[in-house]
Amino acid sequence: INLQITENLRVPDPNWGSGMKVGLLVGNHAKVDLINSTIGNNVLRGEQGYTVNVSKGAELNIYNSIFYGDSLYELSLGSASGSSYPVTANVCYSNIEGGEEGVKIWQSNHTFNWLDGNINEDPLWDTASAFPYSLQEDSPCINAGTPIYEAGMEPPFIINEDDTLYYLVTLNYNDTILLPSTDLAGKPRISGGRIDMGAYEFDTTASIEELNPQNTNDNIIIVYPNPFYYHTFIA
């Protein structure tokens, strides 16, 4: 939750062949829920490869996340060399560059589910801000994540109980995940009535100065947010 993997570089080793990974590998029968994560601009200088790979019997569930600007594939299932263990990947309310067709599935025994709410659009990251993977005000990822629960709604949805956020993946409440109250930059996790895609929430109540802290004295260290609970940034 609130994970950012950006701007990594990997160069092939001739002894290992051309297949490579540059961002995240989920394998060995693990089950991973990737929620409100930003994965972008990771570069792979190989003939084949992927930024996020699911292999060896693993399951990856992607919610409210952004995969954009990576090479060569944003997401792949299995491997070019084959696998005796099928894998599963589910994508829901996320922005994946290339869409469903851009996901590489190496063998036919894997399961890939492209579920509700997904888009394939430029996230319009605010590269001029203190947090270059936050969202500009016209980003298609704002208020595009999993909806807040309303009567009769099927999961997944988010429950807000006494200012505590719970992410309900299925009707089995054992699959309920406690969400942090803030995003990766310390801003309120839900602003504008609905959660955003990615690790950063666009704060509709903040001023431009608050979203882009500036300081004209080069001798002063900026700590934001301050005070903080889980994370803080030092510039």
Side-chain angles (χ1 to χ4, degrees), residues 105-182:
I105 304 175
W106 290 100
Q107 292 84 30
S108 61
N109 61 333
H110 304 305
T111 301
F112 177 65
N113 296 311
W114 184 261
L115 303 173
D116 293 340
N118 297 316
I119 61 175
N120 170 22
E121 299 184 43
D122 186 338
L124 298 180
W125 284 316
D126 190 357
T127 57
S129 77
F131 307 101
Y133 288 90
S134 59
L135 304 175
Q136 298 183 51
E137 60 181 354
D138 53 348
S139 169
C141 299
I142 296 174
N143 292 333
T146 305
I148 300 292
Y149 176 73
E150 295 182 359
M153 182 180 291
E154 293 292 323
F157 49 72
I158 293 174
I159 302 171
N160 189 351
E161 294 182 348
D162 300 324
D163 294 327
T164 302
L165 300 176
Y166 299 92
Y167 195 110
L168 186 62
V169 178
T170 70
L171 289 177
N172 178 1
Y173 277 78
N174 290 329
D175 290 335
T176 301
I177 300 168
L178 177 63
L179 292 176
S181 60
T182 60

Side-chain angles (χ1 to χ4, degrees), residues 16-68:
W16 293 355
S18 58
M20 301 179 65
K21 317 163 191 67
V22 69
L24 175 67
L25 169 63
V26 180
N28 297 326
H29 305 279
K31 178 182 177 182
V32 174
D33 295 322
L34 198 62
I35 301 175
N36 281 100
S37 298
T38 295
I39 299 177
N41 293 336
N42 298 287
V43 176
L44 179 61
R45 292 179 181 167
E47 296 178 4
Q48 63 183 31
Y50 22 78
T51 298
V52 178
N53 175 243
V54 191
S55 67
K56 299 180 180 179
E59 176 182 335
L60 176 63
N61 302 302
I62 302 169
Y63 304 96
N64 299 342
S65 296
I66 302 172
F67 293 14
Y68 199 85

